[in-house]
């Protein structure tokens, strides 16, 4: 027998619960043809995988490549394919790149990226997928529809509950988008233009995703002091709407809140036991990459950027914000200004350093950074517990995702902005933690980054190694796999991801990009 690609003598971990086994894998066209003993077969390309694991391509169910706009700027998504990621799902945290009811809809991107110069030539969701299919994509791409994108397109900058007519229009746009192939709906309940959406509005929209068996992905209303109520809110929303629900980038921020872990997890477990299809994604880092304005009290950022800047200028509002921040007992001094297009003066500095330089309090430094950057600034905050993170990685209802964005390998920010190392190293870092800390079996670890996210997303014929599936395949070195990306220098390729095959084509070979781009747009 002859195959386009023949992988010989590897150890197959197939994404099911099967034990790892020695086998060869034969691929022709876009599909896996045979998994078994192919001693006498030949291949157009032969990969010798002695001592290596052959696993399904990794599925990143929580990607921000769209809202960071890097999917359009760097469609090859090299920092992802070199991690072994073959499929991403974008459109999370309430924000997607379609549908655009008005140009204002795109404003929900602004908390991550400036939209000046973004030139998007689509309105409807189907048109977006069609346009995306003309990009040379490095990875397969699925997209959800963001609630804030729907809402912002109609209500523009107004902050208020939507009228029944507006809810109907949102329902119609969502319905069209789901019909055109969207993977589901996402909510970003912490963000300015969503916090006051009424429960009725959230239920109506979620029900539509539920009826079509699509995913509901939720950025919780609180990841700190109110995390337990936030989890309960989502569990209740999922129960009422019949949705399969994912809590995005689940974490508990702030040392003073870490004690809530057990309550938060038991709220999830309880919902699951009552039949709610609930799960969460988590990244293997104990540092967040957070939009700085979300540190303010809710009243101070309700209404978005203009309100924030106005409150920062107004003396009495400013005092109230400072008092609020001081009472939060957060460790703000180690918060590092990482990413901003608007002002580079503070990049790479901590709020503690800025406070010392300016001889002001650390709370005032935070407000000054917000003012100077037009509230378009993202920070690294070392406010997570690595113990909690490991508990979450191991939890039976977790999957592992980047919550990051894809870049080119040669990427180096023009203005000195830093990106979170998870954009370059999430999956290898997770696998090295599995090896070094014995977090779980390899079979379980591989399921958390392949078959489980595929099943939750509703992806067919991907996420497992079985004859007839699409040939999204990774060959990795279980002893050497790991990430080298750091907070100081995030732009470094992972190690130990030897071969990556997407839709039957070799995109990484012997650890190097081949230059082939083989990603497809996923429609549901
Ligand atoms: Zn989010």
């Amino acid at each position: 027998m002859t195959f386009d690609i023949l992988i010989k003598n590897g150890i197959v971990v197939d994404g099911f619960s099967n034990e790892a086994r020695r086998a060869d894998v034969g691929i022709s066209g876009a599909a896996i043809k045979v998994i078994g003993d192919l001693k006498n077969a030949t291949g157009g390309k032969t990969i010798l995988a002695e001592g290596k694991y052959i696993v399904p391509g990794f599925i990143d169910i929580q990607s921000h490549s769209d809202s960071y706009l890097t999917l359009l700027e760097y469609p090859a998504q090299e920092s992802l394919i070199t991690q072994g990621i073959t499929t991403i799902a974008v459109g999370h945290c309430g924000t997607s790149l379609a549908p655009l009811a008005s140009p204002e809809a795109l404003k929900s991107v602004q908390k991550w990226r400036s939209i000046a110069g973004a030139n998007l030539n689509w309105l409807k969701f189907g048109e977006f997928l069609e346009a995306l299919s003309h990009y040379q994509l490095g990875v397969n791409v699925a997209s959800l529809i963001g609630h804030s994108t729907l809402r912002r397109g109609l209500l523009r900058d107004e902050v208020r509950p939507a009228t029944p007519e507006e809810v109907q229009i949102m329902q119609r746009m969502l319905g069209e988008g789901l019909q055109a192939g969207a993977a589901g709906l996402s909510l970003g309940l912490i963000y300015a233009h969503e916090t006051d959406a009424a429960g009725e509005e959230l239920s109506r929209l979620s029900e539509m995703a539920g009826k079509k068996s699509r995913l509901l992905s939720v950025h919780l209303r609180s990841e700190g002091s109110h995390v337990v109520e936030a989890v309960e809110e989502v569990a209740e929303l999922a129960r009422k709407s019949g949705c399969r629900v994912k809590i995005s980038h689940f974490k508990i921020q702030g040392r003073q809140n870490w004690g809530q872990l057990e309550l938060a997890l038991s709220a999830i477990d309880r919902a699951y036991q009552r039949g709610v299809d609930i799960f969460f994604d988590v990244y293997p880092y104990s540092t967040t990459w957070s939009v700085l304005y979300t540190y303010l009290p809710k009243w101070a950022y309700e209404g978005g950027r203009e309100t924030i800047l106005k409150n920062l200028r107004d003396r009495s509002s400013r005092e109230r914000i400072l008092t609020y921040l001081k009472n939060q007992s957060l460790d703000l001094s180690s918060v590092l200004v990482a990413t901003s297009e608007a002002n580079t003066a503070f990049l790479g500095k901590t709020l503690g350093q800025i406070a010392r330089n300016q001889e002001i309090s650390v709370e005032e430094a935070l407000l000054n950074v917000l003012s100077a950057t037009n509230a378009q600034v993202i920070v690294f905050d070392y406010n997570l517990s690595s113990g909690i993170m490991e508990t979450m990685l191991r939890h039976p209802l977790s999957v592992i995702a980047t919550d990051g964005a894809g870049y080119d390998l040669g990427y180096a920010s023009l203005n000195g902005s830093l990106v979170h190392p998870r954009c370059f190293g999430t999956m290898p870092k997770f696998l090295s933690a599995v090896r070094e800390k014995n977090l779980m079996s390899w079979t379980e670890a591989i399921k958390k980054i392949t078959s489980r996210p595929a099943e939750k997303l509703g992806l067919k014929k991907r996420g497992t190694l079985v004859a007839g599936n699409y040939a999204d395949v990774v060959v990795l070195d279980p002893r050497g796999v790991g990430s080298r990306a750091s907070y100081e220098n995030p732009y470094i390729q992972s190690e130990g991801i030897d071969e990556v095959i997407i839709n039957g084509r070799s995109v990484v070979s012997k650890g190097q990009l081949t230059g082939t781009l083989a990603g497809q747009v996923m429609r549901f």
Side-chain angles (χ1 to χ4, degrees):
M1 262 186 292
T2 303
F3 298 94
D4 292 344
I5 301 178
L6 176 61
I7 311 173
K8 293 190 79 165
N9 294 324
I11 300 154
V12 169
V13 183
D14 57 15
F16 297 103
S17 298
N18 302 323
E19 288 292 309
R21 64 190 194 278
R22 280 195 83 88
D24 309 315
V25 176
I27 294 166
S28 282
I32 298 170
K33 294 294 179 192
V34 184
I35 301 174
D37 186 350
L38 295 171
K39 231 192 317 307
N40 302 317
T42 53
K45 172 185 172 76
T46 300
I47 296 164
L48 302 176
E50 194 73 45
K52 306 288 170 71
Y53 284 177
I54 309 174
V55 301
F58 306 152
I59 292 166
D60 183 9
I61 199 170
Q62 168 80 26
S63 168
H64 272 290
S65 283
D66 60 339
S67 41
Y68 276 88
L69 300 177
T70 65
L71 185 59
L72 309 179
E73 291 167 329
Y74 313 106
Q77 300 280 288
E78 295 172 354
S79 74
L80 304 185
I81 54 182
T82 51
Q83 294 183 48
I85 293 169
T86 54
T87 301
I88 63 174
V90 299
H92 295 284
C93 303
T95 298
S96 55
L97 295 183
L100 306 176
S102 71
E104 264 88 347
L106 201 56
K107 281 190 174 173
S108 69
V109 165
Q110 281 183 135
K111 49 190 165 287
W112 296 290
R113 276 295 302 273
S114 160
I115 51 172
N119 180 19
L120 313 187
N121 56 354
W122 54 77
L123 296 174
K124 295 188 170 187
F125 191 82
E127 295 166 355
F128 162 59
L129 291 187
E130 174 60 23
L132 199 57
S133 70
H134 295 288
Y135 280 74
Q136 296 248 298
L137 296 170
V139 288
N140 300 317
V141 181
S143 178
L144 290 82
I145 291 177
H147 172 224
S148 186
T149 301
L150 295 174
R151 205 165 202 275
R152 210 69 202 269
L154 294 177
L155 279 69
R156 305 187 188 225
D157 288 341
E158 290 176 43
V159 178
R160 57 170 171 81
T163 64
E165 293 72 35
E166 285 164 340
V167 174
Q168 275 182 10
I169 299 173
M170 284 190 249
Q171 285 181 281
R172 203 183 62 224
M173 288 195 296
L174 176 62
E176 276 177 11
L178 293 172
Q179 194 64 36
L185 170 71
S186 80
L187 308 178
L189 297 176
I190 200 173
Y191 290 118
H193 290 267
E194 279 196 68
T195 52
D196 59 351
E200 182 68 11
E201 173 183 338
L202 300 178
S203 305
R204 288 279 91 80
L205 294 170
S206 304
E207 277 165 10
M208 297 181 64
K211 281 206 184 94
K212 291 234 171 206
S213 294
R214 308 280 168 86
L215 182 64
L216 176 67
S217 170
V218 185
H219 183 140
L220 294 176
R221 203 175 285 280
S222 167
E223 297 182 325
S225 54
H226 294 87
V227 64
V228 178
E229 293 121 275
V231 168
E232 281 166 350
E233 176 190 12
V234 165
E236 180 59 14
L237 180 64
R239 191 190 62 75
K240 283 201 313 217
S241 59
C243 259
R244 182 165 68 244
V245 67
K246 173 173 83 59
I247 296 174
S248 293
H249 45 64
F250 192 39
K251 57 173 114 54
I252 298 181
Q253 299 200 45
R255 184 175 294 270
Q256 71 280 17
N257 300 316
W258 292 350
Q260 301 198 43
L261 172 72
E262 271 184 40
L263 280 175
L265 284 180
S266 62
I268 293 177
D269 290 338
R270 242 189 349 264
Y272 183 76
Q273 280 151 15
R274 287 187 194 145
V276 176
D277 193 349
I278 189 168
F279 69 110
F280 59 92
D281 66 82
V282 56
Y283 49 74
Y285 294 85
S286 46
T287 298
T288 60
W289 193 24
S290 305
V291 174
L292 187 59
Y293 83 61
T294 60
Y295 286 61
L296 302 181
K298 197 182 134 192
W299 62 263
Y301 67 79
E302 247 174 356
R305 177 179 315 261
E306 295 313 318
T307 321
I308 297 168
L309 298 172
K310 194 165 111 256
N311 282 325
L312 293 174
R313 283 192 303 267
D314 180 81
R315 201 146 165 196
S316 78
S317 302
R318 197 180 168 93
E319 284 306 317
R320 274 175 72 201
I321 297 173
L322 287 172
T323 308
Y324 167 89
L325 287 174
K326 281 180 184 140
N327 290 336
Q328 293 296 298
S329 57
L330 303 171
D331 176 20
L332 293 175
S333 58
S334 61
V335 168
L336 187 130
V337 181
T339 323
S340 176
E341 286 174 286
N343 185 320
T344 59
F346 301 115
L347 292 176
K349 295 196 176 72
T350 64
L351 293 182
Q353 288 169 328
I354 296 165
R356 276 195 299 282
N357 290 344
Q358 300 188 350
E359 299 186 346
I360 51 175
S361 73
V362 68
E363 291 82 10
E364 287 173 287
L366 188 154
L367 300 195
N368 287 354
V369 170
L370 274 176
S371 302
T373 55
N374 259 323
Q376 196 267 304
V377 56
I378 308 171
V379 296
F380 292 156
D381 192 344
Y382 307 83
N383 63 358
L384 304 179
S385 142
S386 54
I388 290 180
M389 183 259 288
E390 285 172 17
T391 301
M392 289 182 171
L393 293 176
R394 277 197 305 260
H395 192 280
L397 294 176
S398 74
V399 299
I400 316 307
T402 69
D403 189 39
Y407 293 84
D408 276 355
L409 283 186
Y411 180 85
S413 160
L414 289 175
N415 72 357
S417 276
L418 296 166
V419 307
H420 197 287
R422 64 190 195 234
C423 299
F424 283 70
T426 296
M427 300 302 182
K429 183 170 163 70
F430 166 62
L431 293 173
S432 70
V434 166
R435 175 186 63 226
E436 281 154 24
K437 299 185 173 169
N438 232 335
L439 291 181
M440 64 195 83
S441 69
W442 278 90
T443 301
E444 179 64 11
I446 294 300
K447 281 167 72 171
K448 278 179 182 280
I449 52 179
T450 60
S451 53
R452 219 164 281 149
E455 180 198 322
K456 296 295 185 186
L457 201 53
L459 261 185
K460 302 272 186 284
K461 297 177 127 191
R462 299 186 195 269
T464 49
L465 295 185
V466 60
N469 267 13
Y470 289 100
D472 291 349
V473 182
V474 168
V475 178
L476 63 88
D477 176 3
R479 287 169 305 275
V481 68
S483 167
R484 297 188 302 146
S486 64
Y487 294 100
E488 299 75 26
N489 191 359
Y491 311 109
I492 304 184
Q493 185 184 341
S494 301
E495 294 178 305
I497 303 291
D498 295 349
E499 305 283 336
V500 181
I501 296 159
I502 300 184
N503 294 313
R505 302 176 69 195
S506 166
V507 300
V508 171
S509 184
K510 297 194 165 76
Q512 302 295 319
L513 292 163
T514 63
T516 300
L517 299 173
Q520 299 281 330
V521 170
M522 305 280 101
R523 290 180 173 84
F524 293 80

